[in-house]
Amino acid sequence: MNFTGKVAIVTGGAQGIGKAFANALLNIGMKVCVCDVLEEQVKKFIESLSIEQRNNIIFQKCDVSSFADFKNAFDKVISTFGRIDVLVNNAGIINEKNFKKMVEVNVNGVVHGTQLAFEHMSIEKGGHGGYIINTASEAGLEPSFLVPVYCATKHAVVGLTKSLGHEYHFKKTGIKVNAVCPGPIETDLYRTFPEKTVDAEEAKKFLSTRTTITPDEAAKALLQLLQDDKNGAFVRIDIDGLRYSFSFGNMNFAGKIALVTGGAQGIGRAYTNALLNIGMRVCICDIQERTAIAFIENLSPEHKNNIIFQKCDVSSFSDFKKAFDKAISTFGRIDVLINNAGILNEQNFQRTVEVNLIGVIHGTLLAFECMDISKGGQGGHIINTASITGLGPLYIAPVYSATKHAIVGYTRSLGHEFYFEKTGITVNAICPSLVDTEIYRTFPSKCVDADEATRFGAPLKTLK
């Protein structure tokens, strides 16, 4: 995309990340209005620019927690440049001792700017659409014990970005909303960090373990978001580099294709119903042919048109490949794999391992082959059915518990960003407790001790 001649507002643009953002936008030919309370710093920044860039930048003193101040900034930009295409909500503070001001700046300020941007840029109101990019933080994605209120404000920015980055808003307004989530950056905020936390000494120890990046490196994330034309996306930037973070708040799965193993009954059948209900098309893979066919026959005509069945033993790679081939030949692609098929049989533990673990590996290998963006795919999602016994022990079914622990380890390993960046595939797991299924009803007879299993299960309640 070409942003030459486009107009941006950057809040908190006098120093640090905001200054780097303003420089980066000027360098790609944009016109910029810097909004900040630090008037002298902005003047020095503008004076340091080339003559050409000075002609493309203006300053408006602005406290973003004041709606009136922010509106004055928008009015000045419109009167000077005639339009606004990009708002960068970057202004932010850390001060756990004055948490109210922090909320006013970090949360209310972002909301103020967003409301004004929607008013000026929305195609519904005669605008041209545009972009809002919010500076969140890694503290908006993870806990931060030293700055709990700051962490809360950045989680709020993430939530606002996810919500406004939904297609519902984009279709109405033509505005895309994204966020940059930096790690530690060498800024004034970072240098004064310890004294603004709940424990200065602990904060100093914490910072001694962290490595910072420069504001200019953070600016690359801003440009990446604009260039990639994303919506509802989050770019993380820190010592490990730049990468998109996981966010599913704006995803629409209508028309997407899912393959569900063990989908004829129990949890798999419930998964299939749920996917059909959100407009997805589904291929059920199961060895229970009659049960699957009876399930399909009971569906509504609309849902019947969106489902196919392939008999499949997931422990057989060739069987599983036929299921993938059928789904692709019928629907053209696969977007989601749900590795749900599983059994419990301590007396035949080899079979339990083959289905519960080897089957998941088979499906995952085939999904990576089909969906991997580095191989021409479009990315996608793998969701594995693990179990609460994959998180803790189950003494009456140790091999079953072992296979579910294996799925958890496999999921966590393949769910690493290393794989996501290469393949565009997210890998997650569901870990249900006791569910009223065939496995649960036959549970005692398949354990190492049927009587003990009966006693174990008697006081427990199941989920549907």
Side-chain angles (χ1 to χ4, degrees), residues 1-7 28-31 86 131 226-227:
M1 297 189 68
N2 186 358
F3 285 91
T4 303
K6 301 289 186 183
V7 180
I28 61 171
M30 292 188 69
K31 300 172 186 178
V86 177
Y131 301 86
L226 290 173
Q227 192 61 43

Side-chain angles (χ1 to χ4, degrees), residues 285-427:
C285 303
D286 207 302
I287 56 172
Q288 305 289 345
E289 189 168 4
R290 289 183 179 178
T291 308
I293 291 172
F295 165 47
I296 293 171
E297 287 175 351
N298 286 324
L299 295 172
S300 67
E302 180 186 0
H303 283 173
K304 281 183 191 175
N305 291 331
N306 288 326
I307 192 168
I308 59 173
F309 168 68
Q310 175 65 36
K311 189 172 183 179
C312 173
D313 176 353
V314 296
S315 69
S316 163
F317 187 83
S318 62
D319 262 22
F320 220 150
K321 186 174 185 307
K322 288 175 185 174
F324 269 77
D325 291 343
K326 182 170 182 176
I328 291 170
S329 66
T330 305
F331 296 130
R333 57 186 282 171
I334 295 174
D335 302 288
V336 177
L337 167 67
I338 300 184
N339 279 314
N340 170 72
I343 64 171
L344 192 160
N345 192 333
E346 294 295 308
Q347 285 81 35
N348 190 353
F349 73 86
Q350 293 97 333
R351 182 64 180 159
T352 300
V353 172
E354 287 171 1
V355 174
N356 294 8
L357 178 55
I358 301 300
V360 169
I361 296 171
H362 286 164
T364 302
L365 292 173
L366 287 162
F368 268 63
E369 192 66 30
C370 293
M371 299 192 292
D372 186 343
I373 55 175
S374 69
K375 297 180 179 180
Q378 300 180 35
H381 307 274
I382 298 172
I383 299 176
N384 299 321
T385 299
S387 165
I388 194 170
T389 68
L391 304 173
L394 184 61
Y395 68 98
I396 47 180
V399 176
Y400 177 80
S401 178
T403 63
K404 294 302 183 177
H405 273 75
I407 290 171
V408 168
Y410 192 56
T411 301
R412 294 179 72 183
S413 299
L414 291 180
H416 194 278
E417 288 181 355
F418 169 80
Y419 290 100
F420 177 69
E421 289 170 17
K422 291 173 64 176
T423 66
I425 299 169
T426 66
V427 186

Side-chain angles (χ1 to χ4, degrees), residues 22 60 251 262 283 310 340 367 441 443 447:
Q60 176 65 34
M251 300 195 76
C283 174
Q310 175 65 36
N340 170 72
R441 288 187 288 273
F443 173 70
C447 289

Side-chain angles (χ1 to χ4, degrees), residues 30-96:
M30 292 188 69
K31 300 172 186 178
V32 178
C33 174
V34 171
C35 301
D36 208 302
V37 293
L38 301 172
E39 193 167 359
E40 289 304 313
Q41 283 94 324
V42 178
K43 287 180 179 178
K44 289 178 182 178
F45 165 42
I46 292 175
E47 287 170 1
S48 71
L49 296 172
S50 67
I51 295 173
E52 180 185 358
Q53 289 187 337
R54 280 187 219 166
N55 292 331
N56 287 328
I57 191 168
I58 59 173
F59 167 66
Q60 176 65 34
K61 189 171 184 178
C62 173
D63 176 353
V64 296
S65 67
S66 162
F67 187 84
D69 267 20
F70 222 149
K71 187 176 184 305
N72 288 341
F74 270 77
D75 292 343
K76 182 171 182 176
V77 174
I78 296 292
S79 65
T80 306
F81 295 130
R83 60 185 287 161
I84 297 172
D85 302 287
V86 177
L87 167 65
V88 182
N89 278 315
N90 169 72
I93 62 172
I94 295 179
N95 193 333
E96 292 293 312

